[in-house]
Amino acid sequence: MRKLLLITMALALGACTVGPNYQKPVIAVPEQLYGAPAGTAESFADAQWFDVFSDPQLRALIDEALRNGYDVRVAAARVEEARARYGIAGAARYPDVDYQGRTGYGRANGETGGAFAANVGAGWEVDLWGRIRRLNEAARAQYLASEEGQRAVRLSLAAEVASSYFDLREADAELDIARRTVAAFQNTLDLFDKRLRGGTASGLETARAEALLANAAAQIPLLERDIVATENQLNLLVGRQPGPIARGAALADQPIPANVPPGLPSALLLRRPDVRAAEQALIAANANIGVAEASFYPTLSLTGLLGVQSSDLSELFTEGRTWNVQAGLLGPIFNAGRLRNQRRVAVAQFQEALAQYEQQVTRALADASTSLVSVEKLGTAEAERQRALRANQEAVRLATLRYDSGFSAYFEVLDAMQQLFAAENAAARTRRDRLVALVQLYRALGGGWQG
């Protein structure tokens, strides 16, 4: 027995691990993002989300979503599952020990009697070729990938909450614009009705004023419908039952940072959890090649048994002791190419994981570039929208002044008011688009949405 144990220890200590060791893929990364100015190490994503978006109601919604959101709870359960699977894989490195007890009573050769036995057994696979080590490596990588997946879910969820909140505030702004416009058109219609009855206004002017009023009024129920739908979407994201959502700052008062440095692309890839998760999946696929290769080699297993047996229960542990130790070697001879094809499957899965990792890297760079340019261009667009809004407000003032002075018909005032209505809505939508683009940039850069 001692010789067998010494031989086993020597084999275990001299065991090798078959299969390729993981090497990080070499991917060319640009020095700066496409469309970005000269890069610096500073990144907008280094800021905490509560420093980026200061609206207290938005902060509260994000906090609640990160605590109670359904997607976060699902991701947490997946992490626990992966952690347990990692524990299962790690347990294979140690012996299995079990026990067994038997008792019986019968008659044989004219004699009646009982029999009692108790055994403790142990079995252990000596990891000669690293099969168990590779299984453990793969399970660990899958566990780490699930943790990165959880971080990606938290980042995505917080970004969705912020985007939906800005959608809600934009709908609120449009509803306020529509109500003010309806009130203005209603005053105009009332004025024309009085003048029409007095014979100083035409039916055409009255009909035109009524049409503009109806078109503006039709927007109010549609916006109210959109507001309820957006509130329900936010409630779903934070894990609530449907109900009203508390508001914070108005859309126009939501702050936008003057400077949003993107940082270096190499740092972006280290920060984004989806990229890190893709690399962990690649590590797991690489380890599975080693598992498949280990199947070509023999498996050495050790078993041991220690037991007692007796015909009298009171003497079970004082007589009839038994023990044995065995070593078994099992290896493949012919399997019709099954093992070879299993390795081919593992290699193909590695190539698939490699392509997905490279794709994720490219997607991360593209997301950051697109979002960065969107923030910049929407800032320019918003400035132009505000210029157009001021011009339309001035046009309404001048058209009203001309009408009051008798230099023009009221049609000019109605046309100016209609264009102002459209300009106000366009300005609100562009403001919302800019805020959402800022959220998407922070998400694309891998911002830390830790609550």
Side-chain angles (χ1 to χ4, degrees):
M1 179 178 177
R2 182 178 298 175
K3 291 182 178 180
L4 181 61
L5 291 175
L6 291 174
I7 293 172
T8 301
M9 291 177 63
L11 288 172
L13 291 173
C16 62
T17 302
V18 299
N21 292 322
Y22 175 74
Q23 294 183 347
K24 188 179 182 69
V26 178
I27 299 179
V29 178
E31 294 183 0
Q32 64 185 50
L33 293 170
Y34 175 53
T40 64
E42 182 186 3
S43 175
F44 177 51
D46 292 333
Q48 294 294 323
W49 64 263
F50 43 77
D51 293 328
V52 175
F53 303 106
S54 57
D55 187 315
Q57 293 301 328
L58 177 55
R59 288 184 181 183
L61 287 170
I62 292 176
D63 281 336
E64 186 175 356
L66 295 180
R67 290 193 311 270
N68 303 326
Y70 298 114
D71 290 342
V72 168
R73 289 160 57 187
V74 170
R78 288 174 179 166
V79 170
E80 289 302 314
E81 177 186 356
R83 182 184 291 119
R85 292 186 182 278
Y86 178 34
I88 292 172
R93 295 177 297 177
Y94 303 98
D96 286 334
V97 180
D98 51 36
Y99 65 89
Q100 181 185 45
R102 298 192 308 274
T103 182
Y105 190 81
R107 181 180 178 85
N109 299 324
E111 295 184 3
T112 302
F116 305 92
N119 300 307
V120 176
W124 180 43
E125 178 184 340
V126 182
D127 194 18
L128 292 176
W129 316 109
R131 185 185 75 89
I132 295 176
R133 288 191 291 277
R134 291 300 191 193
L135 283 171
N136 196 58
E137 181 183 349
R140 180 179 183 275
Q142 290 164 352
Y143 163 54
L144 294 177
S146 71
E147 285 197 327
E148 297 297 345
Q150 183 184 34
R151 294 186 182 97
V153 166
R154 290 171 60 85
L155 189 153
S156 177
L157 178 60
E160 287 185 47
V161 170
S163 297
S164 296
Y165 181 77
F166 293 139
D167 289 343
L168 180 62
R169 297 309 282 138
E170 190 267 335
D172 290 337
E174 285 200 40
L175 181 59
D176 180 65
I177 293 168
R179 285 172 173 167
R180 286 190 285 104
T181 303
V182 165
F185 284 147
Q186 184 66 59
N187 291 335
T188 298
L189 179 60
D190 293 342
L191 174 64
F192 282 145
D193 274 341
K194 291 179 182 179
R195 292 184 176 181
L196 182 62
R197 288 192 297 270
T200 59
S202 68
L204 178 60
E205 288 178 325
T206 304
R208 181 70 181 277
E210 185 172 1
L212 292 175
L213 170 62
N215 285 331
Q219 298 301 312
I220 292 177
L222 299 179
L223 288 166
E224 290 173 338
R225 176 201 62 182
D226 293 342
I227 286 172
V228 171
T230 307
E231 286 180 319
N232 287 336
Q233 174 65 18
L234 272 168
N235 282 314
L236 178 63
L237 290 172
V238 302
R240 289 186 198 166
Q241 295 295 322
I245 295 292
R247 271 55 158 189
L251 183 72
D253 298 329
Q254 296 290 338
I256 295 181
N259 183 33
V260 285
L264 300 176
S266 56
L268 161 68
L269 301 183
L270 294 175
R271 187 184 295 109
R272 289 222 353 178
D274 54 347
V275 174
R276 297 199 302 264
E279 184 177 8
Q280 291 299 329
L282 182 62
I283 293 172
N286 181 80
N288 285 331
I289 296 177
V291 175
E293 289 189 3
S295 300
F296 287 96
Y297 299 94
T299 301
L300 175 63
S301 59
L302 300 178
T303 59
L305 177 69
L306 176 64
V308 291
Q309 57 185 6
S310 173
S311 59
D312 190 336
L313 182 61
S314 63
E315 298 178 353
L316 179 62
F317 295 100
T318 59
E319 64 177 31
R321 294 184 179 88
T322 61
W323 64 269
N324 69 72
V325 178
Q326 298 179 2
L329 195 64
L330 177 66
I333 295 178
F334 175 76
N335 50 59
R338 177 176 57 84
L339 297 181
R340 183 173 64 254
N341 283 308
Q342 285 178 348
R343 186 185 184 282
R344 290 175 60 190
V345 167
V347 171
Q349 290 175 338
F350 173 80
Q351 294 299 328
E352 178 184 355
L354 176 60
Q356 290 174 339
Y357 171 69
E358 293 174 348
Q359 181 186 45
Q360 202 65 41
V361 169
T362 305
R363 179 181 291 114
L365 296 171
D367 288 347
S369 173
T370 300
S371 299
L372 186 68
V373 172
S374 293
V375 169
E376 178 188 356
K377 299 305 180 184
L378 283 168
T380 303
E382 185 181 17
E384 294 300 321
R385 293 290 191 193
Q386 290 296 325
R387 185 160 71 103
L389 177 58
R390 291 191 295 271
N392 278 282
Q393 290 170 338
E394 179 66 8
V396 170
R397 188 186 71 81
L398 293 175
T400 303
L401 183 61
R402 282 172 55 82
Y403 173 75
D404 291 339
S405 301
F407 292 110
S408 66
Y410 202 76
F411 288 121
E412 287 187 7
V413 179
L414 293 176
D415 287 339
M417 291 174 65
Q418 186 178 18
Q419 292 178 21
L420 175 61
F421 181 41
E424 287 182 311
N425 284 329
R429 291 166 189 161
T430 304
R431 180 69 173 185
R432 183 274 315 275
D433 291 344
R434 190 179 175 194
L435 287 165
V436 171
L438 191 69
V439 173
Q440 295 304 323
L441 174 61
Y442 192 61
R443 175 183 181 179
L445 293 176
W449 294 85
Q450 290 83 10

